[in-house]
Amino acid sequence: MYEPIRTKSVHTMAGTAPDFPHRSREEELDIQLAGHLAALLAVTDELRALTPSAELDTAAERLAEQVARPRGGLPPARTSVAAALHEPHLAALHRRAHALAGRALVVAASRADTAAAILAAERMDAHAAAADPRELAPR
């Protein structure tokens, strides 16, 4: 009634296929944290181009240091956003930065990275204060 299986299964048991590299949970969290902080740095650079301030300059430098840390000290790639500006709405940029800082805070807390968690929390507070508080309230 049924034909027997003549080929090997395409499914393998966990741990039996060491032919490709696996990353540890810590390495995955490092990659996620660097990604969230790099995205936050890009938004911070956009905000710096629109409304230059010493606080944003300091935040950008601290973010760049945190992004470079898991990469062995290599600085993150940054571009000049002044040429690409099309009158973006400042409140929208602050909301986006607030959300990115929140994601970075979650990952930093899960990997017990105090420095990154403090920086992310500070950026969340700064962007919440700069944006309309009613827009950042939970729904």
Side-chain angles (χ1 to χ4, degrees):
M1 184 182 248
Y2 294 104
E3 189 169 331
I5 298 173
R6 295 184 181 151
T7 60
K8 286 189 157 213
S9 173
V10 296
H11 305 286
T12 59
M13 297 298 292
T16 61
D19 56 341
F20 60 93
H22 294 278
R23 290 190 282 256
S24 68
R25 180 176 188 272
E26 289 76 25
E27 290 170 326
E28 288 292 335
L29 290 174
D30 281 343
I31 291 167
Q32 285 181 19
L33 181 60
H36 293 314
L37 290 176
L40 180 57
L41 176 60
V43 174
T44 301
D45 283 341
E46 286 183 53
L47 286 166
R48 286 176 56 215
L50 288 172
T51 57
S53 75
E55 186 226 348
L56 287 173
D57 293 343
T58 303
E61 291 308 313
R62 290 178 62 200
L63 286 167
E65 289 171 8
Q66 288 297 319
V67 172
R69 191 170 42 119
R71 300 174 65 216
L74 293 172
R78 295 170 75 178
T79 61
S80 173
V81 295
L85 293 177
H86 300 291
E87 298 279 336
H89 194 256
L90 285 177
L93 285 175
H94 283 293
R95 284 192 306 273
R96 183 171 169 212
H98 183 270
L100 288 167
R103 291 182 191 127
L105 178 59
V106 168
V107 176
S110 69
R111 66 183 291 272
D113 187 338
T114 307
I118 290 171
L119 177 59
E122 288 173 355
R123 298 315 312 149
M124 281 184 73
D125 289 344
H127 292 295
D132 185 3
R134 293 172 298 183
E135 293 178 2
L136 294 177
R139 295 177 182 162

